[in-house]
Amino acid sequence: MIPTSPAEFAASNDRRLPVTEQVGEYTWTLPQPVPAGTVPYTLGYLMKDSRSGIHVIDPGWGSDENWARLEEALARLGAQPGDVASIIITHLHPDHLGLAERLREQSTGAPVVMHRAEQAAADALVASVSDRVQTQLQLSEEWGVPADRRPELERVARRSDTLKPFTADLLVEHDEELDIPGRRIRARHTPGHTPGHLCLDDRSQRHLFTGDHVLPTVFPGIGLGGPTATNPIDDYLNSLDAVLDYDDYDDTLPGHGYRFRGLAERCRDMRAHHLRRASQVETALDAHPDAGIWAVASSITWSAGWAKLHDFLLFSALAQTAMHVDRLRRPR
């Protein structure tokens, strides 16, 4: 079973995979493991429409094992990949998008759906390995990263195999209703985690699918979709406010963890978390106005502890610190 509380989630966080289960009259979970990292699995979802078509939200990491799990989950619903009518992607990260290309090829022309801004972000991120490495080397110097820690950030930049060119078939805008017969599902643009992140408002079942925007126990990274003209932290805080009205829905269905209620309270907790970090960054800069990003980041509180941050988590912490510094220095 999918955990339904923090205690159950903690007990299951040993990488054991929950089984697929029904969470609404027309909706089933699709747990898909990811390579060893900060979370054990991604939660995708399968939805039936009124014509017996299947719509897949975030099919999961692109591996043969996950493909077999997807086929098995479809079979439980009396379906197969050819019955998939659409593939909806909340955001561009490979633990959500990875199987989309294979599923599109094996279906009978099912369109892949993403927000228009997310397609632009995906296009912009597909640069040569050498360009990404060079940019990271420059940032490491600008951020004041010690020489012995720079190889970790370079390794992050070199992981080109997890993000490949991808073109969706249907690009949607905020508040656009998706073509799912018999259902009322609207796209909600919630930038911050990535520039074109989508939540999905399922009014027919009173479910909100939140992808990586709001998670029940984890604070998702911010600004993980490439450079933007706006500050991703401001975008994220505004996007938290944008989903508060869904607090009375029956369930929040996230991309990691477990379904939960109390969305507004969780959004307030997440806002407070980021504002506390903003205050710590401001305090650090007040004490040392010329401090570099590394110095500021190492002086503030991180959920896992600064000493335990390595590779991608280290990069994410430094990048978020840089966003906070930019936010404080921008005219308001």
Side-chain angles (χ1 to χ4, degrees), residues 16 62 65 72 132-133 170-171 191-192 210 226 267 273 275 277 288 330:
R16 285 179 296 181
E65 294 79 10
E72 182 181 354
R132 286 201 296 275
V133 171
L170 179 61
L171 303 179
T210 58
C267 287
H273 168 82
L275 292 181
R277 185 161 291 163
H288 303 282
R330 284 193 182 207

Side-chain angles (χ1 to χ4, degrees), residues 41 54-55 72 81 85 88 110-111 115 130 173 178 192 195 206 212 233 258 261 264 278 282 285 298-299 308 317:
Y41 53 84
I54 304 293
H55 303 261
E72 182 181 354
I88 306 161
H115 190 275
S130 60
E173 304 286 356
L178 304 186
R206 295 178 57 80
D212 281 6
I233 292 172
Y258 53 88
R261 297 181 181 179
E282 186 172 19
L285 288 176
S298 63
S299 71
K308 294 182 180 179

Side-chain angles (χ1 to χ4, degrees), residues 80-234:
Q80 56 187 348
D83 298 313
V84 171
S86 74
I87 306 156
I88 306 161
I89 304 300
T90 62
H91 63 292
L92 55 79
H93 292 154
D95 55 328
H96 298 259
L97 173 66
L99 274 180
E101 183 67 56
R102 185 169 179 177
L103 182 55
R104 175 165 59 183
E105 292 173 353
Q106 296 295 319
S107 69
T108 54
V112 176
V113 181
M114 282 201 308
H115 190 275
R116 187 174 302 277
E118 198 72 345
Q119 182 67 68
D123 293 343
L125 282 172
V126 180
S128 70
V129 174
S130 60
D131 286 345
R132 286 201 296 275
V133 171
Q134 187 58 42
T135 298
Q136 186 55 65
L137 291 174
Q138 182 179 345
L139 281 175
S140 294
E141 184 173 352
E142 292 175 0
W143 289 349
V145 178
D148 64 328
R149 302 300 302 274
R150 294 183 185 185
E152 295 178 53
L153 304 182
E154 185 177 343
R155 284 196 296 273
V156 173
R158 289 188 182 280
R159 290 172 188 159
S160 60
D161 58 339
T162 61
L163 185 63
K164 300 175 181 179
F166 185 85
T167 302
D169 303 289
L170 179 61
L171 303 179
V172 297
E173 304 286 356
H174 177 71
D175 207 33
E176 186 171 337
E177 186 162 331
L178 304 186
D179 183 16
I180 301 179
R183 307 286 293 278
R184 297 174 59 211
I185 299 180
R186 289 189 174 275
R188 310 299 295 178
H189 184 210
T190 49
H193 182 62
T194 60
H197 189 285
L198 275 182
C199 289
L200 300 169
D201 170 11
D202 183 354
R203 300 182 185 186
S204 54
Q205 292 193 109
R206 295 178 57 80
H207 289 161
L208 183 70
F209 299 88
T210 58
D212 281 6
H213 178 48
V214 182
L215 303 175
T217 62
V218 175
F219 296 108
I222 296 177
L224 300 180
T228 57
T230 54
N231 187 289
I233 292 172
D234 281 329

Side-chain angles (χ1 to χ4, degrees), residues 3-14 39-41 216-218 256-258:
T4 57
S5 71
E8 288 183 13
F9 182 65
S12 73
N13 205 25
D14 57 2
V39 292
Y41 53 84
T217 62
V218 175
H256 300 282
Y258 53 88

